[in-house]
Amino acid sequence: RARQAYESLQSKYSAGDKSAAFLDVLGGVQVLLNYELEQLRARRDLMAGAARLERIMGGPWRPEQSEPEQKTVPADDEDTPLPTE
């Protein structure tokens, strides 16, 4: 949305529309750049967290390791024993 707002302001300013002042266009650029900066910071934080997790685990993290085994529990018959490992 920030990009769309900026592009809209830029188009109006380029077309000579009096409703879009130069300072409005600069404000749109600032909002867009701040948004992109926040995206990059979030990506950095995610990668730092993943690296920390790998360091704690002692090796690379693989998605197939993240899902715990699920045991099935009978819904209708409470007397049925669960399988043992």
Side-chain angles (χ1 to χ4, degrees), residues 1-8 32 36:
R1 289 187 180 177
R3 183 173 301 282
Q4 289 173 342
Y6 164 70
E7 288 173 354
S8 174
L32 179 60
E36 290 175 351

Side-chain angles (χ1 to χ4, degrees), residues 48-61 65:
R52 183 169 184 255
L53 180 62
E54 286 185 357
R55 192 170 50 249
I56 291 170
M57 291 175 55
W61 176 78
Q65 292 176 341

Side-chain angles (χ1 to χ4, degrees), residues 13 20-28:
Y13 182 77
F22 183 70
L23 291 177
D24 295 333
V25 175
L26 288 179

Side-chain angles (χ1 to χ4, degrees), residues 61-70:
W61 176 78
R62 290 186 213 102
E64 63 270 6
Q65 292 176 341
S66 66
E67 297 179 18
E69 287 187 33
Q70 295 183 4

Side-chain angles (χ1 to χ4, degrees), residues 29-40:
V29 169
Q30 184 177 14
V31 168
L32 179 60
L33 290 175
N34 284 335
Y35 177 73
E36 290 175 351
L37 180 61
E38 287 303 314
Q39 279 186 318
L40 291 172

